[in-house]
């Protein structure tokens, strides 16, 4: 195996191990040596790939963002939030991403509590992710409907609602299926943005 391939394999192993340890212990209670031990790598190998735990978390965030971008750039992507199917599609993607990356999302929040620099990084990340769908929300006003606030504020409210609900849902796993949660959130968000049912 070539050096570059070994490096990529080690980086992937460290990321996968970090997600498992974050899920088990939480971000704040995880040490770098916990991650390297879980990955079966030497402690010093971590710093060949990441400057520290926050840098690893930023890399996990970038991976999650890239996965989201791939999902929303698929053929047939709907971008008009006056269309319930477009709202449902985006919520379904977020529900799946949340389920698959719950440990990373919790780690992001924990890191932001103790690090002002990471809190600023997380704020930039969230703003960037929401900017990708801002035009989806402006379709509502373009259609002559009135949003409850400016497009930016309405989108932030919808995002916060979905994110906070998914945190609670994750704690009660099995209470509702992904499909039930997606449909309920779609109805709620659609009504909130469009001022009517579909």
């Amino acid at each position: 195996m070539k050096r570059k391939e070994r490096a990529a394999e080690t980086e992937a192993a460290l990321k996968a191990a970090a997600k498992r340890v974050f899920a088990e212990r939480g971000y704040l209670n995880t040490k770098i040596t916990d991650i390297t031990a879980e990955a079966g790598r030497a402690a010093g190998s971590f710093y060949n790939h990441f400057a520290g735990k926050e840098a690893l978390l930023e890399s996990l965030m970038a991976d999650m963002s890239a996965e989201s971008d791939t999902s929303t750039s698929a053929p047939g992507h709907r971008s008009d939030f006056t269309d319930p199917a477009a709202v449902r599609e985006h919520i379904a993607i977020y529900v799946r991403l949340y389920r698959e990356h719950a440990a990373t999302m919790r780690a992001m929040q924990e890191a932001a509590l103790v690090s002002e620099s990471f809190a600023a990084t997380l704020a930039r990340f969230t703003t960037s992710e929401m900017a990708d769908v801002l035009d989806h929300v402006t379709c509502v006003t373009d259609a002559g409907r009135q949003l409850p606030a400016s497009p930016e504020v309405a989108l932030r409210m919808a995002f916060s609602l979905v994110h906070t609900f998914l945190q609670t849902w994750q704690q009660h796993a099995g209470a509702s299926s992904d499909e039930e949660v997606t449909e309920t959130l779609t109805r709620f968000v659609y009504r909130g943005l469009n001022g009517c049912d579909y």
Side-chain angles (χ1 to χ4, degrees):
M1 186 183 294
K2 295 181 181 176
R3 183 176 180 180
K4 193 172 184 179
E5 291 171 339
R6 280 198 306 272
E9 185 181 89
T10 297
E11 182 175 327
L14 290 168
K15 288 180 184 180
K19 289 193 273 189
R20 290 191 300 272
V21 179
F22 292 163
E24 181 184 313
R25 301 180 188 184
Y27 176 83
L28 297 178
N29 293 324
T30 296
K31 297 188 284 283
I32 289 170
T33 52
D34 297 330
I35 296 168
T36 54
E38 177 71 20
R41 300 298 198 271
S45 69
F46 183 93
Y47 295 101
N48 293 329
H49 301 277
F50 306 106
K53 203 165 61 164
E54 280 186 21
L56 180 145
L57 186 53
E58 288 177 26
S59 183
L60 291 174
M61 289 165 59
D63 292 348
M64 194 168 53
S65 179
E67 188 178 334
S68 173
D69 290 347
T70 300
S71 297
T72 56
S73 63
H77 171 75
R78 296 177 179 99
S79 60
D80 178 353
F81 276 9
T82 63
D83 177 1
V87 176
R88 185 180 296 104
E89 178 182 300
H90 285 79
I91 288 179
I93 290 168
Y94 197 75
V95 167
R96 180 181 53 79
L97 284 172
Y98 194 94
R99 183 175 27 80
E100 293 173 2
H101 299 279
T104 300
M105 291 198 184
R106 283 193 304 272
M108 290 158 55
Q109 292 175 319
E110 288 183 33
L113 289 173
V114 297
S115 167
E116 284 185 28
S117 67
F118 189 82
T121 298
L122 180 56
R124 285 190 302 274
F125 173 80
T126 302
T127 298
S128 173
E129 292 295 300
M130 287 195 291
D132 289 344
V133 293
L134 183 60
D135 63 324
H136 300 25
V137 176
T138 57
C139 287
V140 174
T141 54
D142 292 347
R145 298 177 183 173
Q146 186 173 357
L147 288 166
S150 70
E152 294 84 359
V153 172
L155 180 60
R156 194 168 289 277
M157 287 179 354
F159 176 83
S160 297
L161 172 115
V162 171
H163 185 80
T164 303
F165 177 79
L166 291 177
Q167 286 177 308
T168 305
W169 172 61
Q170 198 72 27
Q171 294 167 359
H172 302 286
S176 301
S177 68
D178 285 13
E179 294 77 21
E180 291 171 313
V181 167
T182 297
E183 184 58 29
T184 301
L185 285 170
T186 298
R187 288 184 178 280
F188 202 91
V189 169
Y190 183 87
R191 185 182 300 167
L193 293 176
N194 288 276
C196 60
D197 291 326
Y198 56 85

